[in-house]
Amino acid sequence: METLSIEVPLFSQSPAQGISHPLPVVASDGNVYFLKNFKISNGDVYDAMFFQESLSIQLAQELNIPVPDWAIIQVDIETLNYFPELQFQYKLEPGKYYATKKIDNVANDLIALLNEEAIHRTRGAAQKLNNIFNKITNKNDIPRILLLDFWLSNIDRFTNSGNLILKIDNLGNYLIAIDFGHCFFGPCWDKNTQDNFSEIINAVKIGNIRQLSANLTNAYLNLANNHMQKEWKLGIVFDHLQKQILFDNGNPFEPIMSKINSITTSQIISMLNKIPANWIVGGSDQKSLYLQYLNAQKIILPDLIQYQAEQNIFTNFNGGSLEWQKEKNTNTQ
Ligand SMILES: Nc1ncnc2c1ncn2[C@@H]1O[C@H](COP(=O)(O)OP(=O)(O)OP(=O)(O)O)[C@@H](O)[C@H]1O
Ligand SMILES: [Mg+2]
């Protein structure tokens, strides 16, 4: 993959949303990108963020899930000297940064309305939100995005209004998923992530799937509760999305589950090999554990969805057992 550099930073266009405050820049290919930083303004370092963003977006692209294009942007000393704000305000250092290509014509009212309903409980916000979600033209992508999020254990989609964007065109609202930095239980390569991975890998080995479905669902419920979003079950964003999923014509998650099952281990390895070495703080151990996690977690997904449907988390579910195609074993390829 080609590595780009910064032509001109667009400081005045930096979005208010998000804690890493990605910076829009014109890159050396002439396109505008949102450049992210793994050093957060409060001093935290998200040492798995770029690794996770770049792995997740490649998986999303392989599954034809709508996401922006991504790029590696090299920041050098000359650029830092030329634009001192990059160093002093945005805390950039020489090195490679993760960036996504800017999506144009994004509706800001989605974020504002979700925040109004979740935080301020403004009257009428829920109805306006329903209208916006009803006008989504790619509703088929909703179960696809959600299943990807469950596969990747994304803990920053269902409660966070800033991680889905709506591109407005003459047909309606087109939903696009961004920000995979908090997949895999969080943005750091730490003991917590490694323990969670090991628990899943071991539970799958011994066939303890239903317990895992319950534990994972409870973890999402707790997260929503911590965000004061208990009334929306897994979160306000999740709840507005799930309302659009219909179960009348078979299992809406089946097509994307089949696609996930068709991704081979060697495909994932080649995605891991596209990630710059200095984004992988845990080296080959980290790559290997993520691969094992992905192969284990995909085995849980059908039961996880069935369990959540039974818990009334998908409100259009009509009862019964969801049908899944028998999984082909791709792990050995
Ligand atoms: N490719 C893009 N096109 C258009 N807008 C974008 C794009 N990437 C980011 N944005 C805008 O920037 C905001 C923040 O981006 P993003 O969610 O990726 O970063 P973040 O939330 O700061 O990251 P994190 O908190 O995970 O470190 C988004 O809510 C969106 O408004
Ligand atoms: Mg975000």
Side-chain angles (χ1 to χ4, degrees):
M1 148 164 277
E2 191 195 357
T3 301
L4 306 175
S5 57
I6 297 179
E7 258 340 287
V8 192
L10 303 170
F11 295 117
S12 64
Q13 293 178 31
S14 197
Q17 185 86 9
I19 37 174
S20 72
H21 298 294
L23 174 67
V25 299
V26 181
S28 45
D29 66 353
N31 291 306
V32 175
Y33 288 84
F34 278 75
L35 181 116
K36 295 191 71 165
N37 196 352
F38 58 96
K39 289 199 170 148
I40 309 306
S41 43
N42 68 6
D44 284 354
V45 175
Y46 289 169
D47 63 359
M49 188 170 113
F50 287 177
F51 173 87
Q52 298 186 162
E53 292 258 24
S54 52
L55 174 60
S56 306
I57 208 157
Q58 290 182 74
L59 290 166
Q61 286 173 333
E62 184 60 37
L63 296 165
N64 290 324
I65 289 173
V67 289
D69 288 332
W70 71 288
I72 299 165
I73 295 189
Q74 174 86 42
V75 173
D76 55 25
I77 305 263
E78 292 74 49
T79 311
L80 292 179
N81 288 340
Y82 208 72
F83 302 104
E85 297 95 324
L86 291 178
Q87 211 169 340
F88 299 113
Q89 197 182 334
Y90 287 85
K91 312 288 177 213
L92 300 192
E93 291 165 13
K96 290 185 166 129
Y97 287 79
Y98 174 86
T100 58
K101 202 187 235 179
K102 183 183 182 202
I103 307 283
D104 288 318
N105 299 325
V106 170
N108 297 321
D109 50 347
L110 175 67
I111 292 174
L113 274 171
L114 281 163
N115 285 339
E116 269 184 44
E117 194 192 349
I119 301 164
H120 309 296
R121 320 259 157 167
T122 314
R123 273 186 71 197
Q127 189 52 49
K128 284 186 200 155
L129 275 170
N130 284 337
N131 294 342
I132 289 182
F133 278 86
N134 284 336
K135 272 208 275 177
I136 290 175
T137 49
N138 58 330
K139 285 186 189 174
N140 282 351
D141 283 321
I142 294 176
R144 300 153 57 80
I145 292 170
L146 294 184
L147 204 67
L148 177 70
D149 286 330
F150 286 128
W151 187 25
L152 305 181
S153 291
N154 189 351
I155 58 167
D156 194 30
R157 170 99 57 222
F158 304 156
T159 56
N160 187 341
S161 58
N163 293 337
L164 276 181
I165 54 183
L166 281 181
K167 182 179 167 63
I168 308 301
D169 60 25
N170 50 7
L171 297 174
N173 303 333
Y174 189 81
L175 194 61
I176 296 170
I178 60 163
D179 195 354
F180 295 89
H182 288 69
C183 285
F184 306 99
F185 302 105
C188 299
W189 173 242
D190 55 15
K191 192 170 175 325
N192 179 48
T193 303
Q194 293 166 37
D195 287 351
N196 283 329
F197 282 10
S198 300
E199 188 188 328
I200 286 168
I201 294 161
N202 291 332
V204 167
K205 255 188 213 145
I206 60 170
N208 209 359
I209 307 284
R210 182 44 59 119
Q211 185 61 48
L212 213 48
S213 296
N215 293 352
L216 287 167
T217 304
N218 284 336
Y220 284 111
L221 288 168
N222 287 337
L223 217 57
N225 192 21
N226 295 342
H227 283 86
M228 317 287 271
Q229 295 185 12
K230 197 178 171 166
E231 69 193 84
W232 293 282
K233 293 178 186 137
L234 302 199
I236 188 165
V237 175
F238 179 90
D239 202 43
H240 280 282
L241 291 172
Q242 72 77 19
K243 279 190 210 156
Q244 300 297 329
I245 300 179
L246 302 177
F247 289 77
D248 307 334
N249 296 316
N251 176 0
F253 291 95
E254 207 292 315
I256 184 66
M257 189 66 239
S258 287
K259 275 195 109 163
I260 288 176
N261 279 332
S262 74
I263 296 185
T264 63
T265 291
S266 55
Q267 277 176 298
I268 298 176
I269 291 172
S270 95
M271 292 174 194
L272 288 166
N273 289 339
K274 291 210 176 80
I275 303 175
N278 58 346
W279 292 358
I280 313 177
V281 289
S284 56
D285 287 352
Q286 185 177 6
K287 290 207 269 187
S288 157
L289 204 58
Y290 275 73
L291 178 61
Q292 289 177 60
Y293 160 83
L294 286 170
N295 281 331
Q297 179 77 352
K298 70 175 160 189
I299 293 170
I300 300 160
L301 294 176
D303 188 66
L304 182 68
I305 298 297
Q306 177 72 35
Y307 176 82
Q308 293 184 352
E310 289 166 9
Q311 301 294 312
N312 221 9
I313 283 169
F314 294 104
T315 46
N316 297 320
F317 177 59
N318 308 315
S321 286
L322 295 167
E323 295 212 358
W324 305 94
Q325 251 181 41
K326 223 176 130 37
E327 184 214 336
K328 293 182 213 83
N329 187 0
T330 52
N331 295 353
T332 49
Q333 288 176 31

PDB file of all heavy atoms in Angstrom, residues 38-62:
ATOM      1  N   PHE A  38      -2.851   8.373  17.935  1.00  0.00           N
ATOM      2  CA  PHE A  38      -3.036   7.366  18.993  1.00  0.00           C
ATOM      3  C   PHE A  38      -2.653   7.935  20.350  1.00  0.00           C
ATOM      4  O   PHE A  38      -2.830   7.290  21.376  1.00  0.00           O
ATOM      5  CB  PHE A  38      -2.208   6.103  18.689  1.00  0.00           C
ATOM      6  CG  PHE A  38      -0.738   6.382  18.556  1.00  0.00           C
ATOM      7  CD1 PHE A  38       0.105   6.201  19.629  1.00  0.00           C
ATOM      8  CD2 PHE A  38      -0.223   6.848  17.354  1.00  0.00           C
ATOM      9  CE1 PHE A  38       1.468   6.476  19.520  1.00  0.00           C
ATOM     10  CE2 PHE A  38       1.130   7.132  17.231  1.00  0.00           C
ATOM     11  CZ  PHE A  38       1.967   6.948  18.310  1.00  0.00           C
ATOM     12  N   LYS A  39      -2.103   9.174  20.337  1.00  0.00           N
ATOM     13  CA  LYS A  39      -1.842   9.862  21.610  1.00  0.00           C
ATOM     14  C   LYS A  39      -3.005  10.804  21.837  1.00  0.00           C
ATOM     15  O   LYS A  39      -3.250  11.719  21.058  1.00  0.00           O
ATOM     16  CB  LYS A  39      -0.536  10.647  21.535  1.00  0.00           C
ATOM     17  CG  LYS A  39       0.647   9.724  21.517  1.00  0.00           C
ATOM     18  CD  LYS A  39       1.920  10.419  21.910  1.00  0.00           C
ATOM     19  CE  LYS A  39       3.004   9.390  22.116  1.00  0.00           C
ATOM     20  NZ  LYS A  39       4.312   9.865  21.774  1.00  0.00           N
ATOM     21  N   ILE A  40      -3.724  10.586  22.915  1.00  0.00           N
ATOM     22  CA  ILE A  40      -4.952  11.313  23.169  1.00  0.00           C
ATOM     23  C   ILE A  40      -4.630  12.551  24.007  1.00  0.00           C
ATOM     24  O   ILE A  40      -3.647  12.558  24.762  1.00  0.00           O
ATOM     25  CB  ILE A  40      -5.948  10.372  23.901  1.00  0.00           C
ATOM     26  CG1 ILE A  40      -6.072   9.057  23.129  1.00  0.00           C
ATOM     27  CG2 ILE A  40      -7.310  11.000  24.098  1.00  0.00           C
ATOM     28  CD1 ILE A  40      -6.437   9.193  21.679  1.00  0.00           C
ATOM     29  N   SER A  41      -5.494  13.596  23.884  1.00  0.00           N
ATOM     30  CA  SER A  41      -5.162  14.863  24.542  1.00  0.00           C
ATOM     31  C   SER A  41      -5.005  14.728  26.062  1.00  0.00           C
ATOM     32  O   SER A  41      -4.294  15.504  26.678  1.00  0.00           O
ATOM     33  CB  SER A  41      -6.192  15.935  24.192  1.00  0.00           C
ATOM     34  OG  SER A  41      -7.480  15.396  24.260  1.00  0.00           O
ATOM     35  N   ASN A  42      -5.641  13.720  26.673  1.00  0.00           N
ATOM     36  CA  ASN A  42      -5.490  13.570  28.131  1.00  0.00           C
ATOM     37  C   ASN A  42      -4.204  12.839  28.515  1.00  0.00           C
ATOM     38  O   ASN A  42      -3.982  12.535  29.684  1.00  0.00           O
ATOM     39  CB  ASN A  42      -6.701  12.846  28.727  1.00  0.00           C
ATOM     40  CG  ASN A  42      -6.784  11.388  28.302  1.00  0.00           C
ATOM     41  OD1 ASN A  42      -5.870  10.872  27.651  1.00  0.00           O
ATOM     42  ND2 ASN A  42      -7.852  10.726  28.646  1.00  0.00           N
ATOM     43  N   GLY A  43      -3.358  12.534  27.533  1.00  0.00           N
ATOM     44  CA  GLY A  43      -2.073  11.891  27.827  1.00  0.00           C
ATOM     45  C   GLY A  43      -2.082  10.381  27.614  1.00  0.00           C
ATOM     46  O   GLY A  43      -1.037   9.748  27.621  1.00  0.00           O
ATOM     47  N   ASP A  44      -3.279   9.781  27.443  1.00  0.00           N
ATOM     48  CA  ASP A  44      -3.339   8.335  27.205  1.00  0.00           C
ATOM     49  C   ASP A  44      -2.731   7.985  25.846  1.00  0.00           C
ATOM     50  O   ASP A  44      -2.787   8.788  24.912  1.00  0.00           O
ATOM     51  CB  ASP A  44      -4.792   7.839  27.207  1.00  0.00           C
ATOM     52  CG  ASP A  44      -5.353   7.761  28.621  1.00  0.00           C
ATOM     53  OD1 ASP A  44      -4.571   7.980  29.570  1.00  0.00           O
ATOM     54  OD2 ASP A  44      -6.561   7.513  28.764  1.00  0.00           O
ATOM     55  N   VAL A  45      -2.178   6.790  25.761  1.00  0.00           N
ATOM     56  CA  VAL A  45      -1.654   6.295  24.485  1.00  0.00           C
ATOM     57  C   VAL A  45      -2.441   5.051  24.110  1.00  0.00           C
ATOM     58  O   VAL A  45      -2.465   4.082  24.860  1.00  0.00           O
ATOM     59  CB  VAL A  45      -0.150   5.955  24.607  1.00  0.00           C
ATOM     60  CG1 VAL A  45       0.366   5.336  23.316  1.00  0.00           C
ATOM     61  CG2 VAL A  45       0.648   7.209  24.945  1.00  0.00           C
ATOM     62  N   TYR A  46      -3.135   5.112  22.969  1.00  0.00           N
ATOM     63  CA  TYR A  46      -3.928   3.979  22.488  1.00  0.00           C
ATOM     64  C   TYR A  46      -3.035   3.128  21.589  1.00  0.00           C
ATOM     65  O   TYR A  46      -3.067   3.245  20.362  1.00  0.00           O
ATOM     66  CB  TYR A  46      -5.157   4.483  21.721  1.00  0.00           C
ATOM     67  CG  TYR A  46      -6.222   5.130  22.589  1.00  0.00           C
ATOM     68  CD1 TYR A  46      -7.274   5.838  22.002  1.00  0.00           C
ATOM     69  CD2 TYR A  46      -6.220   5.006  23.976  1.00  0.00           C
ATOM     70  CE1 TYR A  46      -8.276   6.408  22.776  1.00  0.00           C
ATOM     71  CE2 TYR A  46      -7.214   5.575  24.753  1.00  0.00           C
ATOM     72  CZ  TYR A  46      -8.239   6.271  24.144  1.00  0.00           C
ATOM     73  OH  TYR A  46      -9.233   6.839  24.909  1.00  0.00           O
ATOM     74  N   ASP A  47      -2.267   2.240  22.204  1.00  0.00           N
ATOM     75  CA  ASP A  47      -1.187   1.601  21.448  1.00  0.00           C
ATOM     76  C   ASP A  47      -1.644   0.505  20.473  1.00  0.00           C
ATOM     77  O   ASP A  47      -0.832  -0.013  19.717  1.00  0.00           O
ATOM     78  CB  ASP A  47      -0.093   1.079  22.394  1.00  0.00           C
ATOM     79  CG  ASP A  47      -0.601   0.003  23.343  1.00  0.00           C
ATOM     80  OD1 ASP A  47      -1.800  -0.341  23.288  1.00  0.00           O
ATOM     81  OD2 ASP A  47       0.213  -0.494  24.140  1.00  0.00           O
ATOM     82  N   ALA A  48      -2.942   0.142  20.516  1.00  0.00           N
ATOM     83  CA  ALA A  48      -3.428  -0.835  19.527  1.00  0.00           C
ATOM     84  C   ALA A  48      -4.337  -0.177  18.486  1.00  0.00           C
ATOM     85  O   ALA A  48      -4.869  -0.845  17.606  1.00  0.00           O
ATOM     86  CB  ALA A  48      -4.188  -1.962  20.226  1.00  0.00           C
ATOM     87  N   MET A  49      -4.513   1.135  18.596  1.00  0.00           N
ATOM     88  CA  MET A  49      -5.540   1.788  17.783  1.00  0.00           C
ATOM     89  C   MET A  49      -5.294   1.678  16.274  1.00  0.00           C
ATOM     90  O   MET A  49      -6.179   1.264  15.527  1.00  0.00           O
ATOM     91  CB  MET A  49      -5.665   3.245  18.191  1.00  0.00           C
ATOM     92  CG  MET A  49      -6.823   3.945  17.542  1.00  0.00           C
ATOM     93  SD  MET A  49      -7.064   5.555  18.313  1.00  0.00           S
ATOM     94  CE  MET A  49      -6.650   6.619  16.976  1.00  0.00           C
ATOM     95  N   PHE A  50      -4.107   2.018  15.833  1.00  0.00           N
ATOM     96  CA  PHE A  50      -3.844   1.996  14.380  1.00  0.00           C
ATOM     97  C   PHE A  50      -3.879   0.567  13.843  1.00  0.00           C
ATOM     98  O   PHE A  50      -4.356   0.309  12.744  1.00  0.00           O
ATOM     99  CB  PHE A  50      -2.492   2.646  14.060  1.00  0.00           C
ATOM    100  CG  PHE A  50      -2.484   4.140  14.203  1.00  0.00           C
ATOM    101  CD1 PHE A  50      -1.304   4.858  14.013  1.00  0.00           C
ATOM    102  CD2 PHE A  50      -3.636   4.853  14.502  1.00  0.00           C
ATOM    103  CE1 PHE A  50      -1.282   6.241  14.126  1.00  0.00           C
ATOM    104  CE2 PHE A  50      -3.618   6.235  14.627  1.00  0.00           C
ATOM    105  CZ  PHE A  50      -2.427   6.933  14.442  1.00  0.00           C
ATOM    106  N   PHE A  51      -3.342  -0.360  14.642  1.00  0.00           N
ATOM    107  CA  PHE A  51      -3.383  -1.779  14.269  1.00  0.00           C
ATOM    108  C   PHE A  51      -4.847  -2.200  14.058  1.00  0.00           C
ATOM    109  O   PHE A  51      -5.202  -2.808  13.040  1.00  0.00           O
ATOM    110  CB  PHE A  51      -2.723  -2.590  15.391  1.00  0.00           C
ATOM    111  CG  PHE A  51      -2.836  -4.084  15.246  1.00  0.00           C
ATOM    112  CD1 PHE A  51      -1.901  -4.790  14.517  1.00  0.00           C
ATOM    113  CD2 PHE A  51      -3.873  -4.781  15.849  1.00  0.00           C
ATOM    114  CE1 PHE A  51      -1.994  -6.177  14.386  1.00  0.00           C
ATOM    115  CE2 PHE A  51      -3.980  -6.158  15.724  1.00  0.00           C
ATOM    116  CZ  PHE A  51      -3.038  -6.857  14.982  1.00  0.00           C
ATOM    117  N   GLN A  52      -5.691  -1.861  15.030  1.00  0.00           N
ATOM    118  CA  GLN A  52      -7.085  -2.303  14.993  1.00  0.00           C
ATOM    119  C   GLN A  52      -7.872  -1.601  13.893  1.00  0.00           C
ATOM    120  O   GLN A  52      -8.684  -2.211  13.203  1.00  0.00           O
ATOM    121  CB  GLN A  52      -7.733  -2.068  16.356  1.00  0.00           C
ATOM    122  CG  GLN A  52      -7.046  -2.879  17.433  1.00  0.00           C
ATOM    123  CD  GLN A  52      -7.699  -2.835  18.801  1.00  0.00           C
ATOM    124  OE1 GLN A  52      -7.425  -3.687  19.621  1.00  0.00           O
ATOM    125  NE2 GLN A  52      -8.545  -1.861  19.058  1.00  0.00           N
ATOM    126  N   GLU A  53      -7.632  -0.297  13.735  1.00  0.00           N
ATOM    127  CA  GLU A  53      -8.333   0.437  12.674  1.00  0.00           C
ATOM    128  C   GLU A  53      -7.996  -0.179  11.315  1.00  0.00           C
ATOM    129  O   GLU A  53      -8.889  -0.425  10.491  1.00  0.00           O
ATOM    130  CB  GLU A  53      -7.896   1.908  12.660  1.00  0.00           C
ATOM    131  CG  GLU A  53      -8.339   2.709  13.870  1.00  0.00           C
ATOM    132  CD  GLU A  53      -9.551   3.600  13.617  1.00  0.00           C
ATOM    133  OE1 GLU A  53     -10.352   3.319  12.703  1.00  0.00           O
ATOM    134  OE2 GLU A  53      -9.703   4.578  14.372  1.00  0.00           O
ATOM    135  N   SER A  54      -6.703  -0.435  11.082  1.00  0.00           N
ATOM    136  CA  SER A  54      -6.316  -0.880   9.746  1.00  0.00           C
ATOM    137  C   SER A  54      -6.736  -2.326   9.487  1.00  0.00           C
ATOM    138  O   SER A  54      -7.141  -2.662   8.373  1.00  0.00           O
ATOM    139  CB  SER A  54      -4.813  -0.687   9.512  1.00  0.00           C
ATOM    140  OG  SER A  54      -4.074  -1.280  10.543  1.00  0.00           O
ATOM    141  N   LEU A  55      -6.711  -3.177  10.517  1.00  0.00           N
ATOM    142  CA  LEU A  55      -7.183  -4.558  10.337  1.00  0.00           C
ATOM    143  C   LEU A  55      -8.706  -4.565  10.107  1.00  0.00           C
ATOM    144  O   LEU A  55      -9.203  -5.210   9.177  1.00  0.00           O
ATOM    145  CB  LEU A  55      -6.820  -5.404  11.569  1.00  0.00           C
ATOM    146  CG  LEU A  55      -7.372  -6.823  11.598  1.00  0.00           C
ATOM    147  CD1 LEU A  55      -6.883  -7.642  10.402  1.00  0.00           C
ATOM    148  CD2 LEU A  55      -6.986  -7.537  12.905  1.00  0.00           C
ATOM    149  N   SER A  56      -9.426  -3.814  10.933  1.00  0.00           N
ATOM    150  CA  SER A  56     -10.891  -3.830  10.864  1.00  0.00           C
ATOM    151  C   SER A  56     -11.394  -3.276   9.537  1.00  0.00           C
ATOM    152  O   SER A  56     -12.338  -3.805   8.947  1.00  0.00           O
ATOM    153  CB  SER A  56     -11.482  -3.001  12.004  1.00  0.00           C
ATOM    154  OG  SER A  56     -10.980  -3.437  13.240  1.00  0.00           O
ATOM    155  N   ILE A  57     -10.770  -2.201   9.064  1.00  0.00           N
ATOM    156  CA  ILE A  57     -11.274  -1.585   7.836  1.00  0.00           C
ATOM    157  C   ILE A  57     -11.008  -2.507   6.639  1.00  0.00           C
ATOM    158  O   ILE A  57     -11.823  -2.580   5.714  1.00  0.00           O
ATOM    159  CB  ILE A  57     -10.719  -0.151   7.645  1.00  0.00           C
ATOM    160  CG1 ILE A  57     -11.714   0.684   6.829  1.00  0.00           C
ATOM    161  CG2 ILE A  57      -9.335  -0.141   7.014  1.00  0.00           C
ATOM    162  CD1 ILE A  57     -11.607   2.169   7.016  1.00  0.00           C
ATOM    163  N   GLN A  58      -9.914  -3.260   6.702  1.00  0.00           N
ATOM    164  CA  GLN A  58      -9.660  -4.231   5.620  1.00  0.00           C
ATOM    165  C   GLN A  58     -10.702  -5.343   5.647  1.00  0.00           C
ATOM    166  O   GLN A  58     -11.169  -5.795   4.594  1.00  0.00           O
ATOM    167  CB  GLN A  58      -8.263  -4.830   5.759  1.00  0.00           C
ATOM    168  CG  GLN A  58      -7.141  -3.845   5.458  1.00  0.00           C
ATOM    169  CD  GLN A  58      -5.790  -4.529   5.557  1.00  0.00           C
ATOM    170  OE1 GLN A  58      -5.421  -5.303   4.678  1.00  0.00           O
ATOM    171  NE2 GLN A  58      -5.051  -4.256   6.614  1.00  0.00           N
ATOM    172  N   LEU A  59     -11.067  -5.802   6.851  1.00  0.00           N
ATOM    173  CA  LEU A  59     -12.118  -6.828   6.948  1.00  0.00           C
ATOM    174  C   LEU A  59     -13.444  -6.274   6.436  1.00  0.00           C
ATOM    175  O   LEU A  59     -14.165  -6.938   5.691  1.00  0.00           O
ATOM    176  CB  LEU A  59     -12.251  -7.313   8.404  1.00  0.00           C
ATOM    177  CG  LEU A  59     -11.079  -8.148   8.922  1.00  0.00           C
ATOM    178  CD1 LEU A  59     -11.125  -8.296  10.437  1.00  0.00           C
ATOM    179  CD2 LEU A  59     -11.062  -9.531   8.260  1.00  0.00           C
ATOM    180  N   ALA A  60     -13.759  -5.027   6.821  1.00  0.00           N
ATOM    181  CA  ALA A  60     -15.006  -4.405   6.363  1.00  0.00           C
ATOM    182  C   ALA A  60     -15.033  -4.309   4.837  1.00  0.00           C
ATOM    183  O   ALA A  60     -16.040  -4.620   4.193  1.00  0.00           O
ATOM    184  CB  ALA A  60     -15.162  -3.015   6.990  1.00  0.00           C
ATOM    185  N   GLN A  61     -13.911  -3.902   4.250  1.00  0.00           N
ATOM    186  CA  GLN A  61     -13.854  -3.776   2.785  1.00  0.00           C
ATOM    187  C   GLN A  61     -14.029  -5.134   2.114  1.00  0.00           C
ATOM    188  O   GLN A  61     -14.724  -5.256   1.111  1.00  0.00           O
ATOM    189  CB  GLN A  61     -12.534  -3.129   2.357  1.00  0.00           C
ATOM    190  CG  GLN A  61     -12.512  -1.639   2.647  1.00  0.00           C
ATOM    191  CD  GLN A  61     -11.151  -0.990   2.390  1.00  0.00           C
ATOM    192  OE1 GLN A  61     -10.115  -1.646   2.467  1.00  0.00           O
ATOM    193  NE2 GLN A  61     -11.160   0.302   2.110  1.00  0.00           N
ATOM    194  N   GLU A  62     -13.417  -6.153   2.698  1.00  0.00           N
ATOM    195  CA  GLU A  62     -13.536  -7.505   2.141  1.00  0.00           C
ATOM    196  C   GLU A  62     -14.999  -7.962   2.171  1.00  0.00           C
ATOM    197  O   GLU A  62     -15.456  -8.701   1.305  1.00  0.00           O
ATOM    198  CB  GLU A  62     -12.653  -8.458   2.962  1.00  0.00           C
ATOM    199  CG  GLU A  62     -12.588  -9.873   2.451  1.00  0.00           C
ATOM    200  CD  GLU A  62     -12.051  -9.988   1.038  1.00  0.00           C
ATOM    201  OE1 GLU A  62     -11.135  -9.235   0.685  1.00  0.00           O
ATOM    202  OE2 GLU A  62     -12.577 -10.839   0.263  1.00  0.00           O
TER     203      GLU A  62
END
